[in-house]
Amino acid sequence: MLSRSWRHLARRYSQATTFRTNENSPAQHSEKQEGLFYTMKPELCKQLFSHGGFPKSFMQQTKTFTETAVMVRQPALDLISCIKASDLNQPAIRYVLYGEKGSGKSLTLAHVLHYAHEDGYLIVHVPWVSEWLRRVPRHKEMSNSQTNEGFVDLPLDAAAWLIHFKSQNQTLLKSENLKVSKEYVWSKREKTEAGSPLHTLVEHGINRVKYACDVVDVLIDEIKMLSSSKQCKTFVAIDGFNSFFYPLTRLSTPTKKTVKPDEVTLTTSFLKLTHNDWTNGVIVVTADQLAVPDDHQESFLPRYLLYKKGFDHLDPFVPIEVGRYNEKEFQSCVGYYRDRLWLRGPPEVETELKFTSACNPYRFMEQCAPL
Amino acid sequence: MMYQNCMKMSSVIIKQFLPHTKSVCARLRSPVVCNVFNYSTKVTTTSNEDVLNNLTDWETLSKKKKISKAMKAYLERAQAHDEFMHKQQFEYNIGKRHLANMMGEDPETFTQKDVDRAIEYLFPSGIYDPAARPLMKPPEEVFPARKAAEFDEAGRPHHFLFYTGKPSYFKLMYDAAENIQQLYNFQDKVIRKKATPDPNGKLNLGATVWLTKDQLENVLVEAITDLEYDNFKLVMERLVSLPYAYRIKDFIDKYRKPLASQKFALEIPKPSYDAEGRAFITTYECLRKKARGDVTIRAPGTGKITINGKDLTYFDDIQSREQVMFPLIFTGMQDRVDVECNIEGGGPSGQSGAIRWGIAWSLRSFVDADMLERMQVAGLLTRDFRRRERKKPGQPGARKKPTWKRR
């Protein structure tokens, strides 16, 4: 047993230089670390991504590998350097990540999210928009909105998101400088007074699920105001953003009327957030083929996936393509998988896998699984 | 009268026919047949002469008084067989003439080649196995040869190895052993005389192989066992391995046949050169199932693959991608050439199969002879001619039968 662990240790150290980097802070990542894996701390992962944020297959992989290692890739580096270089006093800049299925958009987003967390941003992160609009589990709860006529609320989803928001911004919410600007009256007895800290608002949404959607709406307004007034800087990350613009959702009202995305209160809230009428913020969204049904997956380009409406909504934005692995990234990934015993066999296997997976990260991972 | 006339004209045939039973004569009397016979006299005499002469002359044998029981039995069998063969030959000739008339060609110059062509035209067949398609061949090709009498009237065998049961086979082994002995003697003689061996006396067996068991059986007209065939090969290999084996080349050559399909080595095209000075080869008509396309290979390249303007992601499944890359990886050329394909029709497996063949076929110009041989052995240069099999009425698929249900 001991000898075995020694062997593992020896192997890890012998290959450490080829595919791993000890620089675990995304802010310090540069071209030098490109293609190398860095490890996220488990506590951090739990804080940032326990309610979603990593793709499911990646979650399984982290469980198998007993560590969360993310590759430092060019799009994330570009994005981080852009964010560093941008002037936060200007209206928020929108970045759109796009790329083929399985090329690592969500993981790039996670990498950038880690950076934002480290840099002290207030994080507004939607792990997967389709979770709200396209996934209909048995316990999905829908109700007609009390405040907006003709709109649909998703109270459970909104409450779950508030919990996610709370856990991601634990430290920032504790600080006292985030205050609600005006009084909100929810019912005869319940109200949130002006000047009370932001986390009471969040708590209220979590405790009174009925008002969760309204709380989200208000919260977003507050966040926009707070960051415009330099109280905090805000990082908005929305994965699968194009789902907001697909003409239909899979939701239907009790009267069997199909619901359009525009008729969901959460949609309106988050579309408000992605307008650039506020400052001191960064907005990163992804346009993903997997967020829409099969009949609208012919191209991965943002114009096609976002439709004209979404494109005009985001315009102007900075498109960032997340591509397949290049030679260096592929070799480093092979090294990592070999280290984790995810890939075994003779070196000829690699050439073949490179062909069959066409250097697509997700396909590569899938195809290594049985090897 | 016709019959008389006929008899005069075809003297040779009549001689053979006279002793035949009445049925043959009766048949000859029918006007159509007579007419045909008359018509075809010349051809029949020339073409059938040797066939008929080859048949056992049982007539003279039967005149002898004292014959053994074995001989008698043999004679009866031989008679029946000769009769049968004769009938078949006759029918074949008539059929051939009919065929010639049907095809509107001259019956006199109608050869076996024409017969085959006519049969293929008149009875088109989609059966996969050529052996199962309709055919019309001369009877001596269709019916296996039989041994002639191996013993005389008194029942005494001609052959000195008759009682081994397989005289031809053991004669062959005997000859081989004798040859080996002779070669040993010759070698001794050369050594004794201190002569130098003939420098250009060398046996070249490169392009030939030993007869297979079936072929050997056909040559010997005897059934042999696997063990006997192995012994045959053992002895012949021994014979060939001797230094002066070239002296008995005739004997060896009788049991070897030329190796087929050496021809593609000659037909490999030379690559052309494009504007950038890169060698390229285009293979058209890459087919598999319903897919049709062409493949261009450019060397030197970087391993870039373009299929209908897209890269390898044109195919979604792993199997198709593996098909495409297999010839490249097999030859180790995956980083040294660029591939461009245009393919249409069919599905992914057909298209990828067609591309695979196209790549392998084009790569011939860029690999050495050794690799070429390995590619052929790996089946890369073989076309897959299979097609989708049609669905049959009354069952759910081409071969699938409905689920069996008792009632």
Side-chain angles (χ1 to χ4, degrees):
Chain A
M1 190 64 207
L2 194 68
S3 73
R4 191 164 154 229
S5 59
W6 269 113
R7 219 164 45 205
H8 279 222
L9 214 61
R11 194 183 57 222
R12 190 162 311 162
Y13 276 100
S14 67
Q15 296 182 345
T17 48
T18 56
F19 62 86
R20 233 181 244 281
T21 168
N22 292 326
E23 187 56 72
N24 288 343
S25 155
Q28 307 300 321
H29 286 160
S30 63
E31 312 294 323
K32 251 187 271 172
Q33 276 89 18
E34 200 213 327
L36 304 181
F37 285 85
Y38 83 97
T39 325
M40 282 191 197
K41 288 203 184 72
E43 314 88 69
L44 184 84
C45 281
K46 210 176 165 193
Q47 190 196 336
L48 285 181
F49 303 113
S50 59
H51 299 93
F54 284 138
K56 198 178 165 194
S57 50
F58 186 77
M59 283 306 286
Q60 285 168 347
Q61 202 192 0
T62 54
K63 204 178 161 197
T64 316
F65 292 177
T66 63
E67 64 172 10
T68 312
V70 177
M71 189 191 275
V72 181
R73 294 188 66 193
Q74 193 58 50
L77 290 177
D78 288 349
L79 197 47
I80 290 170
S81 62
C82 272
I83 292 170
K84 275 181 192 164
S86 59
D87 179 8
L88 287 177
N89 294 323
Q90 301 297 322
I93 302 174
R94 270 97 41 112
Y95 301 93
V96 176
L97 292 172
Y98 69 100
E100 290 169 18
K101 284 188 226 174
S103 56
K105 295 175 290 296
S106 298
L107 282 174
T108 306
L109 194 65
H111 186 184
V112 180
L113 202 68
H114 184 189
Y115 161 76
H117 173 77
E118 218 168 55
D119 217 25
Y121 281 87
L122 181 75
I123 293 169
V124 182
H125 174 219
V126 181
W128 192 235
V129 174
S130 301
E131 185 81 13
W132 298 341
L133 301 183
R134 302 211 60 78
R135 186 150 172 269
V136 190
R138 200 173 295 164
H139 53 75
K140 190 93 168 178
E141 197 170 299
M142 283 172 52
S143 59
N144 288 330
S145 176
Q146 305 289 318
T147 47
N148 300 20
E149 197 59 40
F151 277 76
V152 172
D153 272 352
L154 300 169
L156 281 183
D157 288 319
W161 182 78
L162 283 172
I163 294 171
H164 180 56
F165 176 77
K166 198 181 124 193
S167 76
Q168 279 190 329
N169 301 295
Q170 281 161 1
T171 45
L172 274 177
L173 287 177
K174 271 175 203 153
S175 67
E176 294 300 313
N177 57 350
L178 298 180
K179 297 220 168 55
V180 180
S181 60
K182 59 180 180 184
E183 192 185 51
Y184 295 101
V185 179
W186 308 110
S187 66
K188 274 181 195 167
R189 291 187 205 121
E190 295 163 301
K191 61 176 180 180
T192 309
E193 283 169 18
S196 59
L198 201 59
H199 68 89
T200 53
L201 191 66
V202 177
E203 287 296 338
H204 181 255
I206 294 167
N207 294 330
R208 297 283 290 137
V209 174
K210 188 182 169 190
Y211 301 115
C213 281
D214 297 329
V215 168
V216 170
D217 197 36
V218 168
L219 180 66
I220 280 168
D221 284 341
E222 288 296 328
I223 288 168
K224 276 168 81 169
M225 262 185 277
L226 283 171
S227 32
S228 296
S229 62
K230 305 279 185 298
Q231 297 291 324
C232 63
K233 44 182 185 175
T234 309
F235 180 84
V236 180
I238 302 178
D239 204 352
F241 186 70
N242 53 327
S243 206
F244 284 138
F245 299 101
Y246 187 75
L248 273 183
T249 66
R250 294 183 62 190
L251 308 170
S252 57
T253 56
T255 55
K256 302 289 177 205
K257 187 176 156 283
T258 51
V259 178
K260 290 183 184 130
D262 315 349
E263 294 166 0
V264 181
T265 42
L266 285 174
T267 309
T268 47
S269 314
F270 281 98
L271 289 189
K272 253 192 293 178
L273 189 60
T274 47
H275 258 301
N276 62 347
D277 52 359
W278 53 290
T279 58
N280 212 5
V282 177
I283 303 169
V284 183
V285 298
T286 64
D288 202 326
Q289 278 170 298
L290 293 169
V292 290
D294 294 345
D295 60 354
H296 199 73
Q297 296 191 353
E298 282 154 38
S299 162
F300 62 86
L301 298 173
R303 175 63 187 82
Y304 175 81
L305 285 175
L306 290 167
Y307 293 89
K308 189 163 183 348
K309 197 178 150 207
F311 197 82
D312 290 346
H313 174 84
L314 284 180
D315 204 40
F317 62 82
V318 181
I320 295 176
E321 186 181 358
V322 183
R324 301 180 198 155
Y325 283 148
N326 58 27
E327 183 61 34
K328 189 183 165 194
E329 286 170 341
F330 186 81
Q331 286 309 328
S332 129
C333 193
V334 165
Y336 179 62
Y337 284 167
R338 280 200 183 278
D339 173 68
R340 295 280 122 193
L341 303 181
W342 190 244
L343 170 65
R344 300 207 222 187
E348 295 90 67
V349 172
E350 289 155 27
T351 7
E352 216 163 305
L353 278 170
K354 199 171 154 191
F355 260 106
T356 50
S357 64
C359 284
N360 183 311
Y362 175 73
R363 299 282 302 241
F364 179 54
M365 186 186 87
E366 287 280 286
Q367 286 174 19
C368 288
L371 296 177
Chain B
M1 282 172 292
M2 282 277 241
Y3 183 49
Q4 296 291 327
N5 192 10
C6 169
M7 279 176 73
K8 265 180 215 163
M9 291 187 74
S10 56
S11 53
V12 181
I13 293 238
I14 301 312
K15 222 184 201 171
Q16 299 289 331
F17 267 114
L18 261 179
H20 274 275
T21 47
K22 271 181 193 166
S23 65
V24 176
C25 296
R27 192 182 275 203
L28 282 177
R29 247 181 230 121
S30 83
V32 178
V33 176
C34 279
N35 203 3
V36 167
F37 216 78
N38 193 5
Y39 193 65
S40 68
T41 315
K42 204 178 163 193
V43 179
T44 338
T45 43
T46 50
S47 71
N48 284 357
E49 205 161 23
D50 45 48
V51 175
L52 295 175
N53 285 344
N54 283 343
L55 296 176
T56 319
D57 195 5
W58 53 272
E59 176 205 352
T60 46
L61 289 176
S62 65
K63 274 180 186 163
K64 299 284 193 254
K65 289 282 154 30
K66 276 195 174 176
I67 51 170
S68 68
K69 269 188 179 167
M71 196 64 206
K72 209 168 163 186
Y74 167 74
L75 285 175
E76 272 165 19
R77 266 183 285 124
Q79 183 182 5
H81 183 247
D82 287 357
E83 227 167 78
F84 174 75
M85 288 304 281
H86 214 99
K87 203 174 129 198
Q88 292 294 329
Q89 185 67 42
F90 183 72
E91 280 175 1
Y92 170 76
N93 286 331
I94 287 194
K96 200 165 82 169
R97 299 194 68 85
H98 275 312
L99 213 52
N101 287 333
M102 266 188 259
M103 299 301 288
E105 285 178 43
D106 182 16
E108 307 295 334
T109 56
F110 206 61
T111 59
Q112 179 58 37
K113 221 173 177 179
D114 300 324
V115 170
D116 292 340
R117 202 159 36 78
I119 292 288
E120 203 183 334
Y121 173 69
L122 292 170
F123 303 98
S125 169
I127 298 176
Y128 179 72
D129 189 2
R133 292 181 195 154
L135 59 83
M136 180 169 153
K137 297 274 182 204
E140 41 298 4
E141 278 182 39
V142 178
F143 300 102
R146 287 160 63 114
K147 279 189 177 179
E150 294 169 298
F151 36 77
D152 61 11
E153 311 85 273
R156 297 199 323 155
H158 298 306
H159 203 285
F160 73 107
L161 288 168
F162 176 79
Y163 288 108
T164 60
K166 291 171 184 174
S168 323
Y169 170 74
F170 285 108
K171 178 74 167 50
L172 163 62
M173 300 294 273
Y174 177 86
D175 289 347
E178 184 137 300
N179 278 322
I180 290 175
Q181 201 54 52
Q182 273 176 11
L183 291 182
Y184 277 143
N185 292 344
F186 182 75
Q187 197 174 1
D188 289 347
K189 217 188 281 174
V190 170
I191 292 170
R192 219 174 290 135
K193 283 184 176 172
K194 293 199 175 82
T196 48
D198 189 6
N200 44 10
K202 196 146 193 314
L203 198 59
N204 190 12
L205 299 173
T208 57
V209 287
W210 294 117
L211 294 181
T212 62
K213 181 164 172 276
D214 295 337
Q215 288 163 339
L216 188 65
E217 278 176 343
N218 278 342
V219 169
L220 299 177
V221 203
E222 270 167 15
I224 57 173
T225 62
D226 286 341
L227 184 69
E228 283 164 344
Y229 180 67
D230 290 345
N231 287 342
F232 157 74
K233 273 179 84 169
L234 211 65
V235 170
M236 295 309 260
E237 287 296 342
R238 176 84 171 277
L239 186 58
V240 167
S241 69
L242 295 179
Y244 297 99
Y246 64 87
R247 289 173 58 84
I248 47 160
K249 192 167 184 303
D250 292 345
F251 177 73
I252 293 168
D253 279 350
K254 263 196 285 181
Y255 301 101
R256 290 185 77 88
K257 70 168 178 43
L259 199 60
S261 71
Q262 288 281 323
K263 61 178 188 299
F264 66 78
L266 310 169
E267 303 166 354
I268 296 173
K270 285 266 174 296
S272 331
Y273 289 86
D274 61 6
E276 299 162 27
R278 293 204 295 170
F280 74 96
I281 282 275
T282 306
T283 307
Y284 298 98
E285 291 180 2
C286 304
L287 323 173
R288 166 96 219 275
K289 287 188 173 178
K290 289 266 179 183
R292 305 281 175 269
D294 57 83
V295 172
T296 308
I297 282 204
R298 291 176 197 280
T302 53
K304 200 173 151 227
I305 297 177
T306 318
I307 304 167
N308 285 359
K310 295 176 83 178
D311 60 353
L312 204 58
T313 48
Y314 178 80
F315 295 117
D316 286 332
D317 46 344
I318 301 175
Q319 192 192 350
S320 309
R321 291 182 186 180
E322 270 181 344
Q323 288 281 307
V324 171
M325 75 189 183
F326 178 56
L328 294 171
I329 288 195
F330 186 83
T331 51
M333 305 279 276
Q334 68 269 28
D335 298 329
R336 287 192 271 156
V337 292
D338 285 347
V339 181
E340 290 158 34
C341 323
N342 294 309
I343 190 98
E344 57 184 19
S349 82
Q351 293 191 344
S352 58
I355 291 175
R356 183 186 109 158
W357 182 83
I359 291 175
W361 201 248
S362 315
L363 276 178
R364 290 179 310 157
S365 311
F366 300 106
V367 297
D368 54 4
D370 185 39
M371 180 54 81
L372 203 63
E373 194 134 311
R374 285 180 53 206
M375 280 169 82
Q376 199 209 358
V377 171
L380 280 169
L381 303 176
T382 316
R383 258 235 183 124
D384 192 349
F385 281 105
R386 292 174 300 174
R387 287 287 179 279
R388 179 187 166 277
E389 189 174 329
R390 62 154 291 192
K391 183 198 172 296
K392 313 293 184 305
Q395 57 194 50
R399 303 282 173 95
K400 175 87 175 72
K401 307 293 183 296
T403 315
W404 186 80
K405 208 167 164 238
R406 190 189 288 272
R407 57 187 62 86

